[in-house]
């Protein structure tokens, strides 16, 4: 119905107020998605680890890491091989800096790379096994282990806190780190912690029960986002606001979070959500799930680029690009696909021999042919009355003739058919059931 009403919407609100539409570009391994999805480079097709926001040659985008390679995905949808290879189990990045972590059973080797015209290693460090990492746009590095939190500057580690750390982020020298029992806030002017709630012991705290799976800080606004069963926001004054059902949070778990420019992205087993920083009463939510927006598999990480985001799943990569649309533009988009749904001047659905491959779309007879076509005829009549477009008139005449054929083919005045078929289609139509 949306498809057929598109013309009517465009007529009523032509030149209306722009709104935000998210358009997905996706990359998968061969055979893992529709034919119009792009293919991942071979070195990213297995063992995808995640994404992190960054900039290459001053152009924003996201670093993309697998267990064997690191690439850069730009806003222009180009993928660039950074020639960083190894056997990685973790990657964190910001700005020009990327930290890769390779581990054995008890120890980790951390390499800090700086990417300008090309990527070079600027520091390496061996430490006990790293569980979480974060890097600042200045190149300062923070590592969390099951025993301590380390700050690394110029390759030299300094212990910041003791604990079993699950998530950390650093922005402009300010560090927020989650241990099993405490949420630490550390900077040159601040050194404090909050309890992390622990339902099993009755331990109270302002955050979701730990261990918190992810943390993201907004370098522009100073807000902090905490992942968990209930998403939590920490404002610049330090107040923690737990969201969840009371704030109409549309998913039950947010395993990964990323925030930038006042916008908050969060993802988990049920998909990805977008909201903004503010009080619970002020929040509006967008929900993205399924192949219209995401690649298959589990959401691994998100790199926020304002209203846009790069999302890594266990089976591919997605760039949800924020675009300004109007309802007139949206109507024009759907009107352009009407010929694909056209069978003898009647509009209906189509069957595809391969999932998502519109090239295999073949319109089929349906007992709703008259319904969808009549809606389109009404909308095109309204559009022609305003625009006097010859193209609209031609389209209107074709679908109006399709409706006339439904009225005339029965031979009974006033009794329209639900559908019609050519003689060549007769065996298939009769096999589909109904009285012909």
């Amino acid at each position: 119905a949306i498809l057929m009403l598109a013309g009517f919407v465009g007529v009523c609100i032509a030149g209306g107020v722009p709104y935000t539409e998210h358009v997905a570009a996706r990359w998968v391994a061969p055979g893992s998605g529709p034919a119009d999805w792009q293919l991942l480079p071979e070195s990213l097709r297995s063992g995808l680890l995640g994404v992190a926001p960054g900039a290459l040659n001053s152009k924003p985008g996201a670093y993309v890491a697998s267990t064997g390679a690191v690439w850069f995905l730009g806003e222009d949808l180009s993928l660039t091989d950074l020639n960083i290879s190894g056997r990685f189990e973790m990657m964190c990045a910001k700005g020009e800096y990327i930290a890769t972590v390779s581990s054995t059973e008890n120890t980790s080797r951390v390499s800090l790379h700086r990417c300008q015209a090309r990527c070079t290693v600027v520091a390496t460090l061996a430490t006990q096994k790293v569980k979480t990492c974060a890097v600042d746009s200045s190149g300062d590095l923070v590592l969390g282990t099951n025993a301590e939190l380390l700050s690394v500057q110029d390759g030299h580690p300094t212990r910041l806190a003791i604990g079993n750390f699950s998530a950390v982020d650093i922005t402009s020298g300010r560090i927020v780190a989650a241990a099993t029992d405490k949420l630490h806030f550390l900077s040159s002017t601040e050194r404090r912690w909050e309890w992390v709630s622990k339902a099993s012991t009755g331990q109270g705290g302002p955050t979701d029960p730990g261990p918190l799976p992810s943390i993201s800080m907004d370098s522009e606004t100073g807000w902090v986002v905490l992942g968990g069963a209930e998403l939590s926001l920490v404002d610049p004054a330090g107040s923690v606001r737990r969201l969840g059902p009371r704030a109409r949070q549309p998913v039950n778990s947010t395993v990964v979070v990323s925030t930038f420019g006042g916008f908050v992205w969060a993802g988990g087993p049920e998909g990805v959500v977008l909201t903004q920083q503010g009080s619970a009463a002020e929040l509006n939510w967008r929900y993205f799930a399924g192949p219209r927006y995401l690649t298959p598999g589990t959401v691994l990480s998100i790199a926020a680029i304002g209203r846009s985001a790069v999302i890594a799943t266990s089976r591919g990569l997605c760039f949800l690009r924020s675009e300004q649309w109007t309802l007139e533009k949206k109507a024009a988009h759907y009107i352009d696909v009407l010929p694909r749904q056209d069978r003898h001047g009647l509009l209906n659905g189509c069957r595809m021999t391969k999932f998502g491959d519109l090239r295999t779309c073949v319109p089929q007879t349906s007992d709703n042919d008259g319904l969808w076509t009549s809606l389109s005829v009404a909308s095109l009549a309204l559009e022609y009355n305003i625009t006097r477009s010859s193209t609209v008139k031609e389209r209107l005449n074709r679908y109006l003739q399709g409706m006339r054929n439904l009225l005339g083919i029965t031979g009974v005045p006033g009794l329209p058919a639900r559908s019609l078929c050519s003689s060549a289609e007769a065996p298939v139509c009769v096999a589909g059931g109904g009285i012909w």
Side-chain angles (χ1 to χ4, degrees):
I2 292 174
L3 196 71
M4 305 312 153
L5 286 169
F8 177 68
V9 172
V11 169
C12 289
I13 318 182
V17 176
Y19 72 97
T20 301
E21 188 76 53
H22 283 87
V23 179
R26 284 146 297 195
W27 293 260
V28 291
S32 297
D36 60 343
W37 290 9
Q38 300 180 66
L39 294 181
L40 280 170
E42 189 170 351
S43 59
L44 294 178
R45 290 178 187 175
S46 63
L48 199 60
L49 292 176
V51 294
L56 186 64
N57 296 325
S58 301
K59 295 180 180 179
Y63 296 108
V64 184
S66 70
T67 53
V70 182
W71 290 61
F72 181 81
L73 175 59
E75 286 187 307
D76 61 355
L77 305 184
S78 63
L79 274 165
T80 303
D81 187 354
L82 300 181
N83 295 312
I84 299 174
S85 60
R87 300 186 65 179
F88 311 128
E89 68 171 22
M90 192 182 305
M91 181 271 295
C92 52
K94 195 168 291 176
E96 299 176 344
Y97 290 91
I98 308 167
T100 56
V101 181
S102 305
S103 298
T104 60
E105 184 177 352
N106 298 312
T107 62
S108 294
R109 180 180 176 83
V110 184
S111 298
L112 182 64
H113 312 256
R114 186 177 187 183
C115 296
Q116 295 174 307
R118 62 188 183 90
C119 297
T120 56
V121 176
V122 294
T124 59
L125 175 72
T127 182
Q128 59 182 300
K129 192 167 184 178
V130 174
K131 292 180 59 180
T132 181
C133 73
V135 62
D136 205 348
S137 56
S138 63
D140 290 346
L141 182 63
V142 183
L143 305 174
T145 74
N146 61 6
E148 60 186 351
L149 184 71
L150 299 173
S151 171
V152 183
Q153 295 180 326
D154 300 323
H156 302 292
T158 302
R159 177 186 287 175
L160 298 176
I162 296 174
N164 185 356
F165 288 86
S166 60
V168 65
D169 198 12
I170 177 172
T171 295
S172 301
R174 186 190 185 205
I175 299 168
V176 180
T180 305
D181 57 347
K182 297 175 182 177
L183 181 65
H184 295 264
F185 297 85
L186 306 168
S187 71
S188 59
T189 60
E190 178 184 36
R191 191 174 185 89
R192 67 182 182 89
W193 52 265
E194 299 275 5
W195 285 116
V196 172
S197 297
K198 194 171 183 180
S200 61
T201 63
Q203 178 175 296
T207 72
D208 197 61
L212 299 179
S214 58
I215 295 174
S216 180
M217 281 195 289
D218 191 328
S219 59
E220 291 192 351
T221 66
W223 283 67
V224 180
V225 182
L226 312 174
E230 293 185 351
L231 199 63
S232 297
L233 304 180
V234 185
D235 67 22
S239 298
V240 182
R241 306 172 186 185
R242 288 173 64 172
L243 303 182
R246 66 181 66 82
R248 307 179 307 281
Q249 181 178 312
V251 294
N252 291 321
S253 178
T254 53
V255 179
V256 294
V257 294
S258 186
T259 183
F260 182 75
F263 297 97
V264 177
W265 290 86
E270 299 167 318
V272 171
V273 295
L274 168 64
T275 188
Q276 72 282 354
Q277 299 157 4
S279 67
E282 298 171 339
L283 301 184
N284 294 308
W285 298 90
R286 294 287 308 273
Y287 176 58
F288 306 92
R292 176 178 177 180
Y293 295 110
L294 306 179
T295 50
T298 304
V299 177
L300 300 176
S301 62
I302 303 172
I305 310 172
R307 284 181 182 262
S308 301
V310 178
I311 301 162
T313 71
S314 55
R315 295 176 58 190
L317 192 63
C318 171
F319 198 154
L320 283 180
R321 291 176 296 151
S322 170
E323 297 182 359
Q324 291 296 105
W325 283 43
T326 63
L327 291 180
E328 182 179 17
K329 178 179 177 179
K330 187 170 186 177
H333 168 78
Y334 283 108
I335 285 171
D336 285 343
V337 305
L338 288 184
R340 186 184 69 203
Q341 318 293 133
D342 187 332
R343 192 184 64 85
H344 308 311
L346 300 174
L347 295 165
N348 51 34
C350 66
R351 295 177 183 172
M352 292 176 282
T353 58
K354 186 176 181 181
F355 171 74
D357 189 349
L358 295 175
R359 298 173 302 178
T360 66
C361 171
V362 178
Q364 306 289 319
T365 182
S366 163
D367 58 5
N368 285 321
D369 287 2
L371 169 62
W372 308 134
T373 310
S374 64
L375 290 171
S376 189
V377 167
S379 69
L380 288 167
L382 292 169
E383 185 176 1
Y384 177 70
N385 186 53
I386 293 175
T387 65
R388 297 295 171 177
S389 164
S390 59
T391 302
V392 173
K393 182 178 181 180
E394 181 180 349
R395 189 181 296 122
L396 169 61
N397 286 337
R398 174 167 177 79
Y399 301 141
L400 182 59
Q401 185 59 51
M403 294 297 297
R404 286 173 175 159
N405 291 339
L406 290 181
L407 285 167
I409 200 170
T410 64
V412 180
L415 177 64
R418 286 184 172 272
S419 185
L420 57 83
C421 290
S422 67
S423 57
E425 298 170 305
V428 176
C429 292
V430 172
I435 301 172
W436 291 88

